[in-house]
Amino acid sequence: MLLTGLLHPGILEALAGAGHGALVLLADGHYPASTAVGERARTVHLNLAPDLLDVTTVLDALLPVLPVESARIMTPPEGTPEPPAVAAHRSRLGRVPVEALGRLDFYAAARSPDLALAVVTADVRTYANLLLTIGVRPEGTLTPP
């Protein structure tokens, strides 16, 4: 039994194999995961039913166990108000730098060979997609056995 709130074996395996600079995609239910994901990435489908599990919930499970160096969000066309999902991501990421990308640029970034993990959710919010860059473990955070 693990002492972490994140228990999904496929997600844990992919994160354990990823290193500094690797990417993690948290995709909403609208995301074209069959065509817009890096070919070496592990894809985990958590989309059992619409809105049963959203990107924010997955992000909340990842943040305590994953050092996030930066993030990229998908933004709607210019002149469109910021979607609620994007505001939620910014709030949870705090001081993590967040880069806004248009839809096609976001897809291109997610097709990177550096994508280690794609988590497909059933989030029905528009523009809820999030691309995280893994940082480094802060010194002094390794707990000895």
Side-chain angles (χ1 to χ4, degrees):
M1 178 52 70
L2 297 174
L3 298 175
T4 176
L6 180 60
L7 299 175
H8 192 284
I11 292 174
L12 289 169
E13 180 183 14
L15 293 176
H20 180 227
L23 303 174
V24 175
L25 170 66
L26 305 183
D28 64 27
H30 311 285
Y31 193 84
S34 64
T35 60
V37 169
E39 61 186 41
R40 295 189 301 203
R42 170 146 193 177
T43 300
V44 174
H45 293 274
L46 300 179
N47 51 342
L48 178 64
D51 228 13
L52 185 60
L53 186 65
D54 64 20
V55 170
T56 302
T57 302
V58 176
L59 179 61
D60 287 345
L62 290 178
L63 286 175
V65 299
L66 182 69
V68 178
E69 180 174 286
S70 63
R72 292 178 234 176
I73 54 172
M74 182 188 288
T75 56
E78 195 172 320
T80 306
E82 183 171 83
V86 171
H89 299 338
R90 288 185 193 279
S91 170
R92 281 173 166 72
L93 290 168
R95 295 183 174 182
V96 172
V98 176
E99 178 184 3
L101 298 175
R103 183 173 59 92
L104 297 179
D105 289 335
F106 189 94
Y107 291 163
R111 287 186 182 104
S112 166
D114 291 329
L115 187 71
L117 172 65
V119 179
V120 182
T121 72
D123 200 331
V124 298
R125 298 175 297 174
T126 56
Y127 297 95
N129 303 300
L130 184 61
L131 191 59
L132 306 173
T133 301
I134 298 175
V136 296
R137 177 192 293 271
E139 288 188 39
T141 60
L142 184 61
T143 306

